[in-house]
Structure formats: C-alpha cells, structure tokens
Amino acid sequence: MFLFLRPLLLIGAAVAGFIFLSNMGAAPQPPELTGGAPRCDFKVTADLLNVRSGPSTQYPVTAKLRRDALTPGTVELDNGFRKLGNERWVADQYLSPDKLNTCR
C-alpha cells in the first residue's frame, strides 16, 4: 500500500510547491481589485496620540495610541479630526495613510 501512496504524495508535494513558488513574487492587490472592502488603515506619526470621543480637543481623551501604531480608520473627517470608529476620533495631522490604503 505504501508503494501506491508514495507517488501520490510526491505529486501532491510537487503541485503544492509549484503553486507556492508561482505566487511568491505576486504583489498584493488593492481590495478594490480583489472585490473586498476599501482598506482604510493609518500609521500614527506622533509620539503619543490622544483618541477622543468627538472631533475636537474639547472632547475627553478615551485612549492613546503610540508612534507607529497601525489603526483602522474611516474616510470621515470633521474639523481636522479623523473618525476611527464609534466615538473614536484623532487629529488627522498625526496620521499617515498605510501604503495599501484605498481611502484617503
């Protein structure tokens, strides 16, 4: 029985190796080309960025993000603040769009 399975295992390994190697050089495709939702991620450029409950410095700080943190966001801007999610806003000037972003 092992004599029958060995050729099948070798063929399967060769096919898997070919598929893996043929996809190694492929560049990641932006989501709009692959049918996914737009990508909206940002990198924090400030040493410590305040996350606020609304779009101004008058709103309380609810969290802090460190430099180089990657955070999802939205396209919504208000008064120089970008909405990250439900009641989460940060000063947009301290965000840098991720290189694969499709939103700005």
Side-chain angles (χ1 to χ4, degrees), residues 85-99:
N86 194 20
E87 296 184 25
R88 296 182 66 229
W89 296 80
V90 295
D92 189 54
Q93 68 183 5
Y94 300 112
L95 295 177
S96 173
D98 183 56
K99 62 183 177 182

Side-chain angles (χ1 to χ4, degrees), residues 5-16:
L5 289 178
R6 185 173 181 185
L8 288 177
L9 290 173
L10 291 175
I11 291 171
V15 169

Side-chain angles (χ1 to χ4, degrees), residues 30-32 38-42 96-104:
E32 70 269 9
R39 181 180 170 130
C40 204
D41 292 331
F42 298 90
S96 173
D98 183 56
K99 62 183 177 182
L100 296 177
N101 261 13
T102 57
C103 76
R104 297 284 176 219

Side-chain angles (χ1 to χ4, degrees), residues 26-45:
Q29 296 296 312
E32 70 269 9
L33 297 180
T34 59
R39 181 180 170 130
C40 204
D41 292 331
F42 298 90
K43 185 182 258 190
V44 175
T45 60

Side-chain angles (χ1 to χ4, degrees), residues 40 42 72-77 82-86 89 103-104:
C40 204
F42 298 90
T74 69
V75 296
E76 188 174 344
L77 290 171
R82 181 171 299 272
K83 187 174 187 177
L84 299 182
N86 194 20
W89 296 80
C103 76
R104 297 284 176 219

Side-chain angles (χ1 to χ4, degrees), residues 41-52:
D41 292 331
F42 298 90
K43 185 182 258 190
V44 175
T45 60
D47 288 333
L48 203 56
L49 181 60
N50 291 331
V51 179
R52 297 182 177 275

